[in-house]
Amino acid sequence: MSTSATSSAARPPADPRRDLGAALRRWAVTGGPGIGVVRVLDRHGFGSVESGQLVAGTTDGEVGGLLYLGALDDSAHPLAAEAASGTATVREAHVGESSAVAAGLACAGGATLLAHPLPAGPAAALGEALEAGRPAALLSVVDTGAALVLTGPGLEESTGDLGGVTAAAAEQTRALLRRGATATERLDVDGTAVLVDLLVPVPSVLVVGEGALGAALHAQAGLLGWSARTVTTVDDARAAVAAFTEADVLVLLDHDPAFDAALLDGLAHGRGFLGALGSRRTQAARRERLLAAGVTEDALATVHGPVGLDLGARTPAETAVSIVAQVVALRAGRSASALASSAGRIGG
């Protein structure tokens, strides 16, 4: 029974951004109709909503992507066609309570939408990255609609141009990638307003070791729409960690010192979340071994051990919640304090 559940949870969930990527790539390579995109510049209401949402369309009337579960389609689709014709526009859109709830949102709300043309080069680069599940970022100057697409594991590849703020805007966006999470941010770059949609692949959780906690982590990953898999050998763990992106997560359950090699590999390339279970004694022994292997104090501080937030967890399911909660908090750059004590926006 547990093997079947784990196998199901390990399958990567469908990512609608891949369908949007395929459409963008197809539109761009045909060299036919113009392409426009519609993005959320600001919003209020709606409850908790996912960042990095895009709608794209062509002058021929084709449309791809979603904004807030389709609740903004009536506003977004005409704007996409308008932007595809070469016009950059900022427009307000509102969704009533009944329409918002019917779409699956928590409540009514409003959004400021930015629509702008997307040249074939940036469209192709963005489409290829989204379709392949690689990190990408779409940047645009709010006033002009000038567009830049960054792709690659570290967003080191660029297509497009923002004028004089290109380099500074790209650097600020690469800094956002360190959170390892999809984000929509409005940046002030040398006095120029730049909208950034950073699109990070769905996280993959690597569980090293088996047991009830491993099964609970698979279940939690499934609820979050993350993929997960379990490995039990040092070679498999090292191979998986070597391929980590910023978004990926290692949870080391096995206390065998041989698995230190996977942590050393993760620390060497500096990508992903590295977490290790174990008692204070186990953590101290692992710490001494890693220091003896040449790991610096600063690097060792990036290993989360004991992994998880202090929620008072007692069961495997509760412990799994504490672990994924720590990952979510770090990806969002939050301190994991109670919402009631925070003055920031609820829901990201």
Side-chain angles (χ1 to χ4, degrees), residues 37-134:
V37 293
V38 182
R39 305 154 66 194
V40 178
L41 187 61
D42 198 8
R43 61 99 175 174
H44 59 85
F46 298 123
S48 296
V49 290
E50 184 180 359
S51 297
Q53 299 200 23
L54 308 172
V55 160
T58 70
T59 50
D60 286 350
E62 290 191 81
V63 180
L66 282 175
L67 285 182
Y68 295 171
L69 303 178
L72 290 168
D73 282 359
D74 288 346
S75 298
H77 289 184
L79 278 177
E82 185 178 328
S85 299
T87 304
T89 307
V90 175
R91 192 165 299 171
E92 299 296 325
H94 300 277
V95 180
E97 189 77 16
S98 59
S99 297
V101 173
L105 299 169
C107 59
T112 303
L113 302 179
L114 171 65
H116 63 85
L118 190 62
L126 180 62
E128 289 170 6
L130 293 180
E131 188 176 15
R134 296 193 294 264

Side-chain angles (χ1 to χ4, degrees), residues 14-29:
D15 187 345
R17 288 193 297 245
R18 296 201 177 193
D19 292 335
L20 174 60
L24 283 169
R25 183 183 55 77
R26 176 169 53 84
W27 298 336
V29 299

Side-chain angles (χ1 to χ4, degrees), residues 126-305:
L126 180 62
E128 289 170 6
L130 293 180
E131 188 176 15
R134 296 193 294 264
L138 173 59
L139 297 75
S140 59
V141 176
V142 174
D143 290 341
T144 67
L148 172 71
V149 168
L150 304 176
T151 56
L155 302 181
E156 63 276 1
E157 301 165 15
S158 63
T159 308
D161 187 24
L162 301 182
V165 298
T166 298
E171 187 59 31
Q172 289 191 39
T173 302
R174 292 180 183 117
L176 289 176
L177 182 63
R178 298 188 188 108
R179 299 182 186 176
T182 292
T184 296
E185 298 280 350
R186 189 170 178 174
L187 306 178
D188 183 333
V189 185
D190 298 331
T192 298
V194 175
L195 178 63
V196 176
D197 279 305
L198 172 63
L199 306 161
V200 176
V202 173
S204 175
V205 180
L206 178 69
V207 180
V208 180
E210 297 179 303
L213 179 53
L217 282 166
H218 275 267
Q220 283 297 323
L223 287 173
L224 292 167
W226 302 353
S227 63
R229 67 188 180 107
T230 292
V231 298
T232 57
T233 71
V234 174
D235 286 346
D236 286 347
R238 295 189 68 181
V241 170
F244 262 21
T245 69
E246 295 283 350
D248 294 324
V249 177
L250 167 70
V251 181
L252 180 56
L253 306 182
D254 197 310
H255 299 343
D256 188 338
F259 285 106
D260 289 354
L263 292 175
L264 289 169
D265 290 344
L267 289 169
H269 63 50
R271 295 191 297 271
F273 174 102
L274 304 178
L277 199 72
S279 65
R280 301 293 180 187
R281 173 181 285 184
T282 298
Q283 301 296 334
R286 181 183 295 117
R287 171 187 169 81
E288 292 304 316
R289 294 195 303 270
L290 293 176
L291 287 172
V295 177
T296 66
E297 291 281 359
D298 287 346
L300 196 55
T302 65
V303 177
H304 304 283

